[in-house]
Amino acid sequence: MDETFPTELPVPETITQWLLEVSNSSSLEESLQSLIGIAKTDDGRADLAGKNIVTVTLQLCRALSHSSHSQILLLSFKLLRNLCAGELVNQNTFLEQGGVGIVSNIIASIKCLSDLDNQVIRFGLQLLGNFALGGGEHRYAVWKELFPNKLIKIAAIHCMEIIDPLCMVIYTCTEGTDGLVAGLLTDQGFVIILEVIKTMSTVGFKEHWIKLLLSKICLEGSHFASIFSKLYPVSSNANCGDYFADPQAFLLSILSEILNERIEDIAVDSKFPLHVLEILRTAAKAIDSVPRRESGLPTGHATIDVLGYSLIILRDICACDHGLKKVQENSVDAMEILVSSGLIELILSLLKALEPPSTIKKGMKQSKTRDEGSCCSNSSKQCPYKGFRRDIVGIVGNCAYRRKSVQDKIREENGILLLLQQCVSDEDNPYLREWGIWSIRNLLEGNAENQRLVSDLEMQETVDVPELTGLGLKVEIDPQTRRAKLVNM
């Protein structure tokens, strides 16, 4: 014993001796490393469950809780984490021995003065997350110890290795437990969520727990608007173009990723698209006051990123609105609400304000003037970020897909020729041509009025007008159906 352990280690001999015998090791650190490896498998966890390793390791942690032996604590937490990974006997023993209190108190007492300290907290949180999967009683035990003060403190630590497992603990505890979800949605709970978002907007994340958590709260739940506004209340800074802050842009970027990945799987709250539309409306006011970015999203400028991610979210929602919850049975669907709230007018106004795509602009003569009813705007605004025009056109195309009311609305807003101009390649908007053709196809499909408008450009079998030839396109009239169709020249 004296040859194996330093005399300053405050651990009773009975604890260390038991760990040595079970692992057949000669030092405490070697013993813990060996047991960690054994506990990686189902059979190993089950075997160690019968040898009282959870209880002994917790006694070791308690003995070290006020010492400076971070490496031993780290290994102890790692061992307990593996032991509680799906093994109910170990999870129940951890509960009975007061493991939640022991571990949470140690975590809360660490001052994060080194990377090793951060790793101790990381493995402690992973341990609590694995333990919470044991059932409702286990979840309540973790939540009672951590919520709200310890969670708030941990969420404020700017470390990716800590914030990821913290989201695991929060999500695991609240999943399927309505009472704990209700607590998370109180003022104290919002403080935790806001801290998590602010921290992650700075340090980033690697694991998927933040997406699961924000999907539950902001997309499937109805708390997006409240959280978004609390991240950065609009103030006098808006006069300087600072309409939004980085955490808000980060939140929208994550929600955009979730929608792109799971749009078919989640039921989005019906109020969410309207909130995003209002954010887009506010962000659009800032276009003239923010510097243009040469890159795509994220650009690093909060207001521009909020503008872009709002467009992308609306584009994806318009592509698949059947997954949106309705406020009540037989209520108007989300797309109709968006259109009636001015979505079409807003995005067309943004598109009209832009200078023509680069392909068209290069082919235009400098002296060329436009007629009063031309589809081109006299404005020379540039895209605030790379892909801005494409994202607008994407919304139009998805909105118009088999929705005659939207097709009609775009025609009434003189938007068809404007959309024809977008069927070209553009240096600042990758895939603009594809989105433009998709939009025109959807505007013409099943809509005789829109087809007639295009065919009336010139009553010939091939429509030849400067706006279209400049695009490398022409509209042909099918000799049998007499319907217009867009083709490449």
Side-chain angles (χ1 to χ4, degrees):
M1 173 68 184
D2 292 336
E3 296 178 356
T4 309
F5 302 100
T7 57
E8 70 271 13
L9 193 65
V11 180
E13 183 177 352
T14 54
I15 295 176
T16 54
Q17 195 62 41
W18 180 253
L19 293 172
L20 287 176
E21 290 177 2
V22 171
S23 62
N24 192 26
S25 303
S26 59
S27 71
L28 179 57
E29 186 169 337
E30 180 185 337
S31 172
L32 292 171
Q33 291 281 18
S34 175
L35 294 172
I36 288 170
I38 295 172
K40 287 182 178 180
T41 66
D42 292 341
D43 290 341
R45 286 189 287 270
D47 179 61
L48 292 178
K51 296 178 179 179
N52 210 28
I53 296 300
V54 169
T55 300
V56 174
T57 308
L58 282 173
Q59 291 173 351
L60 172 62
C61 292
R62 186 186 290 112
L64 296 172
S65 60
H66 298 290
S67 73
S68 58
H69 296 85
S70 296
Q71 179 63 25
I72 300 299
L73 273 175
L74 185 150
L75 294 174
S76 300
F77 282 1
K78 195 171 183 179
L79 172 57
L80 289 168
R81 179 201 65 178
N82 290 2
L83 289 170
C84 289
E87 176 54 60
L88 187 57
V89 174
N90 289 331
Q91 292 168 339
N92 288 338
T93 301
F94 187 85
L95 178 64
E96 294 164 2
Q97 296 298 319
V100 177
I102 295 171
V103 172
S104 63
N105 287 334
I106 293 174
I107 290 175
S109 68
I110 294 176
K111 296 181 179 180
C112 297
L113 300 177
S114 66
D115 290 339
L116 184 58
D117 290 339
N118 292 340
Q119 289 301 314
V120 173
I121 297 176
R122 172 179 174 80
F123 286 122
L125 290 171
Q126 290 178 342
L127 159 61
L128 295 178
N130 285 351
F131 164 76
L133 291 172
E137 187 178 4
H138 302 70
R139 294 186 179 97
Y140 279 102
V142 173
W143 198 251
K144 182 179 178 181
E145 282 289 338
L146 296 182
F147 182 85
N149 295 331
K150 291 176 183 176
L151 289 178
I152 294 173
K153 179 181 178 181
I154 297 171
I157 301 173
H158 282 224
C159 177
M160 184 191 301
E161 286 72 21
I162 290 175
I163 206 70
D164 274 334
L166 176 64
C167 289
M168 173 194 180
V169 171
I170 296 173
Y171 178 81
T172 301
C173 285
T174 56
E175 177 66 7
T177 49
D178 295 338
L180 302 188
V181 172
L184 187 61
L185 302 177
T186 61
D187 290 340
Q188 291 179 317
F190 277 162
V191 171
I192 298 168
I193 297 170
L194 295 176
E195 282 293 340
V196 167
I197 295 173
K198 290 176 182 177
T199 298
M200 282 198 164
S201 70
T202 301
V203 303
F205 67 97
K206 291 182 179 179
E207 300 172 6
H208 68 289
W209 299 104
I210 183 63
K211 291 185 178 181
L212 294 174
L213 183 60
L214 291 180
S215 177
K216 177 196 299 185
I217 297 170
C218 295
L219 293 178
E220 300 165 72
S222 58
H223 306 282
F224 165 73
S226 179
I227 291 173
F228 187 86
S229 63
K230 284 181 171 63
L231 284 170
Y232 185 68
V234 176
S235 66
S236 58
N237 290 333
N239 296 326
C240 303
D242 297 329
Y243 284 73
F244 302 98
D246 289 336
Q248 292 175 309
F250 172 79
L251 174 59
L252 286 177
S253 72
I254 298 304
L255 297 179
S256 173
E257 288 183 22
I258 296 170
L259 283 171
N260 183 264
E261 296 166 356
R262 301 180 56 214
I263 189 64
E264 298 283 354
D265 303 328
I266 58 177
V268 180
D269 184 82
S270 59
K271 295 180 182 179
F272 174 73
L274 281 179
H275 293 315
V276 176
L277 176 58
E278 289 309 308
I279 292 169
L280 174 61
R281 205 184 302 276
T282 300
K285 298 175 184 177
I287 292 180
D288 293 334
S289 60
V290 296
R292 181 177 182 271
R293 290 296 195 265
E294 298 294 336
S295 68
L297 299 175
T299 65
H301 191 287
T303 298
I304 294 178
D305 288 344
V306 166
L307 174 71
Y309 288 123
S310 297
L311 288 170
I312 293 174
I313 287 172
L314 291 172
R315 181 197 68 193
D316 291 344
I317 285 177
C318 292
C320 190
D321 71 322
H322 63 266
L324 301 178
K325 293 179 182 176
K326 296 184 177 180
V327 178
Q328 57 186 4
E329 191 174 353
N330 300 322
S331 64
V332 180
D333 68 41
M335 270 305 307
E336 292 184 23
I337 296 175
L338 283 172
V339 172
S340 65
S341 299
L343 173 64
I344 300 302
E345 292 90 338
L346 175 60
I347 58 178
L348 288 181
S349 69
L350 293 175
L351 192 57
K352 290 174 183 176
L354 295 175
E355 62 184 9
S358 60
T359 301
I360 294 179
K361 189 168 62 172
K362 289 179 181 178
M364 293 171 58
K365 296 180 180 179
Q366 293 184 355
S367 60
K368 182 180 179 180
T369 59
R370 297 182 176 85
D371 296 332
E372 184 176 349
S374 173
C375 62
C376 296
S377 169
N378 291 324
S379 174
S380 59
K381 291 182 180 179
Q382 295 180 314
C383 293
Y385 67 88
K386 194 170 185 177
F388 175 69
R389 182 193 302 274
R390 174 204 61 212
D391 295 338
I392 295 175
V393 175
I395 293 179
V396 176
N398 289 346
C399 279
Y401 182 69
R402 296 182 179 177
R403 296 187 182 97
K404 189 174 185 303
S405 61
V406 176
Q407 296 169 344
D408 293 341
K409 184 71 173 177
I410 293 172
R411 182 186 70 251
E412 293 163 2
E413 294 292 327
N414 298 318
I416 292 182
L417 283 181
L418 179 67
L419 268 298
L420 283 168
Q421 272 201 315
Q422 315 307 317
C423 302
V424 294
S425 58
D426 184 78
E427 296 172 355
D428 290 331
N429 291 274
Y431 302 106
L432 174 64
R433 179 184 179 89
E434 289 77 7
W435 278 109
I437 293 175
W438 166 251
S439 299
I440 291 299
R441 178 247 185 226
N442 292 342
L443 285 169
L444 296 182
E445 183 185 31
N447 193 305
E449 293 88 348
N450 287 356
Q451 295 171 11
R452 189 177 303 111
L453 183 150
V454 175
S455 63
D456 285 347
L457 291 174
E458 190 169 330
M459 292 304 297
Q460 298 176 3
E461 290 199 357
T462 299
V463 178
D464 183 16
V465 294
E467 289 88 347
L468 297 183
T469 55
L471 304 177
L473 300 169
K474 63 182 178 180
V475 177
E476 290 186 349
I477 308 301
D478 189 293
Q480 296 181 346
T481 65
R482 302 307 298 170
R483 291 183 177 180
K485 61 180 180 179
L486 188 71
V487 298
N488 292 323
M489 291 179 62

